[in-house]
Amino acid sequence: VHGKKSFVSKSKSPSLAFSRFSVLMAKRISYFYDSDIGNYHYGHGHPMKPHRIRMTNSLILNSGLYKKLELLTPRRAAAAEMTRFHADDYVNFLRMVTPENMHDHQKQLHRFNVGEDCPVFDGLFQFCQSSVGGSIDGAARLNSGDADVAVNWSGGLHHAKKCEASGFCYINDCVLAILELLKHHQRVLYIDIDIHHGDGVEEAFFTTDRVMTVSFHKFGDYFPGTGDLNDIGTQSGKHYTVNFPLRDGIDDESYRNVFRPVISKVMEVFRPGAVVLQCGADSLSGDRLGCFNLSLRGHSDCVEFVKSYNLPLLVLGGGGYTVRNVARCWALETAVLADFPMSDSVPYSEYHEYYAPDYRFQINQSNMENLNTPAYLEKVKIKIFENLRTFDCAPSVPFHDVPFDTTFAEPTRPY
């Protein structure tokens, strides 16, 4: 409530050691899904397929995993919520543009980078409202203590900028969810395992010490071209940006050997009150647009490790363009979060033939060459540790008035 004093003070955070190794209890998981999400279509031949969210949900329902979740339909976020980060004129444009009238707005299409990669399609603004609503609502449930983990696979659209669309992303739900979490938490950690650099989130928080962004991504001649090792933030945010640039072909063992120690060190020095984990599935082996070589086991190991810290956790989707792999990945990672023993056999559903010929969950590594040598990975890891050693202690903020909390969605029945 506005005017109420926040518990965000200069006192130290609880011991992470206690948090991580305390008695394990069943987690309360809020799972957000909009049954209309699969109806949106970016256009013929476009690699982004919202239908993958519907396929993920089908696996969650038909495996019985849904019984371990609190099923929620996200609110349609209001334009005013989006303008907590995005420019008013940009949000107003997204709200009014349609395939029928877009030709009357050529100047704005160019200005806001809406076009080939980020096309105008039927229901564009409603699609954004649902994606953003699930992420903000998930953050609100974590803030209120009604959930330990919140999941929104239609979120994670990490490329969107304050005034423009980018990389298939229009509204940055990651940023908006983090802003919601900052109402109640001194520090929020953002972790990104999409193959593409989380540039929109990094840019939004580049000058603050209340959010640390950590991105593991392909770097080089690859979209969006940002995320250099030496990009570490500026002003108050100096050293609060962490980038681990990777090369083609990284496999499970190499990824685990950098992800776990880097995240462990970040947890130790930054001491976050909440975590946002973007789980882009384009880092899996065999992705249509990707060039990494992670199995489903290697990808989900990141989720398992972050979960082990027992911090309020918002889990989001992101990239992923081989739809049968995306659905298997996110369904299995939901099971990891819920401690649900998922069979390796894909349950029968209306999409069963997508998983032919083996009808299994596991996505294995290929024999592609791993260009990430141990020496290279060690060199990058040492440089990141050097940057993190500049911390004297985790930053804190004084008491302040808490903005209005978001009113979140009510539970729904299985679809």
Side-chain angles (χ1 to χ4, degrees):
V1 178
H2 185 68
K4 181 174 70 176
K5 293 298 182 183
S6 167
F7 57 76
V8 176
S9 70
K10 293 188 177 180
S11 60
K12 291 184 178 180
S13 300
S15 165
L16 275 175
F18 174 82
S19 171
R20 189 158 176 220
F21 298 109
S22 57
V23 176
L24 295 176
M25 299 175 65
K27 294 188 181 297
R28 298 163 300 161
I29 301 176
S30 293
Y31 167 77
F32 290 87
Y33 174 71
D34 183 344
S35 58
D36 291 333
I37 202 73
N39 296 333
Y40 300 109
H41 191 250
Y42 275 59
H44 179 71
H46 199 288
M48 178 62 108
K49 311 286 187 186
H51 181 63
R52 65 203 179 132
I53 315 297
R54 180 176 284 167
M55 291 175 60
T56 302
N57 187 69
S58 178
L59 292 176
I60 288 170
L61 293 182
N62 286 288
S63 65
L65 170 56
Y66 75 91
K67 297 173 185 176
K68 300 271 284 188
L69 312 173
E70 179 188 33
L71 305 177
L72 297 163
T73 300
R75 289 176 309 106
R76 295 286 173 92
E81 294 176 271
M82 299 177 188
T83 56
R84 293 175 187 170
F85 170 60
H86 293 282
D88 291 7
D89 54 353
Y90 173 56
V91 172
N92 288 335
F93 171 74
L94 292 179
R95 184 164 53 174
M96 58 78 64
V97 72
T98 67
E100 291 73 32
N101 68 21
M102 60 181 287
H103 300 292
D104 299 327
H105 301 282
Q106 291 298 322
K107 185 176 179 180
Q108 288 173 296
L109 289 169
H110 178 74
R111 176 186 172 194
F112 297 128
N113 197 36
V114 175
E116 186 174 351
D117 278 356
C118 302
V120 177
F121 57 85
D122 285 326
L124 167 59
F125 191 67
Q126 290 73 30
F127 171 76
C128 295
Q129 287 181 296
S130 179
S131 169
V132 170
S135 296
I136 294 178
D137 284 0
R141 292 195 79 79
L142 297 175
N143 282 346
S144 68
D146 288 287
D148 304 305
V149 178
V151 180
N152 178 30
W153 292 124
S154 66
L157 303 181
H158 58 168
H159 294 306
K161 308 294 175 53
K162 181 180 178 69
C163 301
E164 66 177 45
S166 178
F168 315 156
C169 307
Y170 303 86
I171 298 292
N172 200 314
D173 64 287
C174 311
V175 170
L176 293 167
I178 291 169
L179 293 175
E180 186 72 23
L181 290 168
L182 287 172
K183 294 178 181 179
H184 286 257
H185 299 281
Q186 286 184 327
R187 297 175 297 279
V188 175
L189 172 62
Y190 173 77
I191 304 170
D192 195 315
I193 60 172
D194 195 291
I195 195 173
H196 299 96
H197 177 233
D199 57 333
V201 186
E202 176 182 294
E203 183 177 301
F205 299 109
F206 205 61
T207 61
T208 181
D209 60 2
R210 292 192 63 198
V211 178
M212 178 173 281
T213 61
V214 184
S215 181
F216 300 82
H217 51 271
K218 159 74 174 171
F219 185 70
D221 185 18
Y222 200 72
F223 181 87
T226 52
D228 188 275
L229 174 62
N230 294 315
D231 293 338
I232 58 173
T234 190
Q235 300 175 29
S236 297
K238 189 172 183 180
H239 300 300
Y240 290 87
T241 293
V242 177
N243 284 303
F244 204 118
L246 296 164
R247 300 168 178 170
D248 289 8
I250 191 162
D251 57 24
D252 292 357
E253 182 180 5
S254 297
Y255 204 95
R256 179 186 173 103
N257 287 343
V258 297
F259 183 85
R260 288 191 168 224
V262 168
I263 296 303
S264 295
K265 189 63 177 177
V266 165
M267 290 287 189
E268 175 190 332
V269 301
F270 185 61
R271 303 170 71 84
V275 180
V276 176
L277 176 60
Q278 197 269 19
C279 296
D282 46 8
S283 44
L284 287 168
S285 181
D287 186 78
R288 178 178 170 185
L289 300 185
C291 55
F292 282 179
N293 194 23
L294 296 182
S295 73
L296 185 46
R297 188 175 295 106
H299 197 274
S300 62
D301 181 72
C302 300
V303 177
E304 181 74 57
F305 187 67
V306 174
K307 170 196 165 190
S308 73
Y309 281 91
N310 292 320
L311 292 167
L313 175 60
L314 176 62
V315 178
L316 304 175
Y321 307 101
T322 302
V323 293
R324 65 183 182 275
N325 289 352
V326 177
R328 287 186 284 188
C329 178
W330 291 345
L332 189 66
E333 289 176 350
T334 308
V336 166
L337 293 166
D339 294 316
F340 181 82
M342 188 79 87
S343 167
D344 188 42
S345 297
V346 172
Y348 185 80
S349 72
E350 63 270 44
Y351 308 115
H352 201 58
E353 290 308 313
Y354 277 78
Y355 309 108
D358 55 0
Y359 305 99
R360 295 174 60 241
F361 267 103
Q362 193 50 242
I363 300 161
N364 294 318
Q365 299 175 114
S366 74
N367 62 355
M368 72 182 297
E369 183 182 3
N370 182 0
L371 300 182
N372 300 271
T373 64
Y376 169 74
L377 295 175
E378 188 65 21
K379 179 182 177 181
V380 174
K381 188 165 59 175
I382 288 170
K383 177 63 175 175
I384 288 173
F385 285 178
E386 288 174 354
N387 290 336
L388 292 173
R389 270 199 289 270
T390 63
F391 285 79
D392 292 325
C393 60
S396 60
V397 295
F399 283 103
H400 65 278
D401 291 340
V402 181
F404 284 110
D405 285 333
T406 297
T407 302
F408 42 73
E410 294 300 320
T412 62
R413 295 181 182 276
Y415 319 101

